[in-house]
Amino acid sequence: MAHHDSLNYWLVKQEPSTYCWDTFLKEGETEWTGVRNFQARKNLRAMQAGEQVLFYHSVIRPSVMGVALVVTSAYPDPTATEGDWSAVILKPVYTLRRPVTLAEIKADLDLQDMALIKQSRLSVMSVTKQEFSKILAKA
DNA sequence: GCCAACGTTGGC
DNA sequence: GCCAACGTTGGC
């Protein structure tokens, strides 16, 4: 029976030297593979097609770069040679007018509860609708 | 480049 | 099951 699940919002983190926003834009779609952390996996597995994702660059000028969309919910990660890991397919939707830096996020009282700040090593995290909107508004 | 925080591994 | 050692992530 169809019912109305509320949409979730997400943030995925990537080092730009590994896979940057511009490459993602050029490719138009990517398999989000290589997650090897249980909490991040749990979040990946909760993603539903059509949900929005903030794409964040870590390490080099840490900032939110753009918005992506979940194309395909979790399936077995084809890059995993052992263990039970998952991947999703993401596609870029748009580039922020300007990147929103971690420093700005840290300075915003409304964004203090974000896992981005509290759990700096988590690479796939849930974001509230309010946090998502606030970050977009900053761009 | 350094280092703190965190997650994982392995000895006991 | 505990905890020390180690490896990795990511901010600065």
Side-chain angles (χ1 to χ4, degrees), chain A residues 14-21 23 57-60:
Chain A
Q14 187 58 268
E15 282 195 43
S17 60
T18 303
Y19 191 79
C20 72
W21 174 256
T23 303
H57 277 175
S58 63
V59 183
I60 301 167

Side-chain angles (χ1 to χ4, degrees), chain A residues 1-70:
Chain A
M1 182 203 274
H3 59 111
H4 299 282
D5 284 328
S6 59
L7 291 178
N8 294 305
Y9 296 83
W10 307 99
L11 182 147
V12 297
K13 196 185 274 187
Q14 187 58 268
E15 282 195 43
S17 60
T18 303
Y19 191 79
C20 72
W21 174 256
D22 283 349
T23 303
F24 186 35
L25 270 183
K26 278 182 203 128
E27 292 185 352
E29 185 172 285
T30 197
E31 282 190 296
W32 208 259
T33 57
V35 169
R36 299 290 183 270
N37 168 283
F38 294 112
Q39 205 181 338
R41 183 186 75 177
K42 174 172 171 281
N43 292 330
L44 264 191
R45 288 180 175 175
M47 288 183 178
Q48 300 292 333
E51 290 179 340
Q52 290 183 279
V53 183
L54 296 171
F55 187 107
Y56 175 85
H57 277 175
S58 63
V59 183
I60 301 167
R61 285 190 291 276
S63 324
V64 177
M65 301 302 291
V67 174
L69 209 58
V70 179

Side-chain angles (χ1 to χ4, degrees), chain A residues 3 25 34 53 68 81 90 99 123 132:
Chain A
H3 59 111
L25 270 183
V53 183
T81 53
L90 299 179
S123 65
F132 189 89

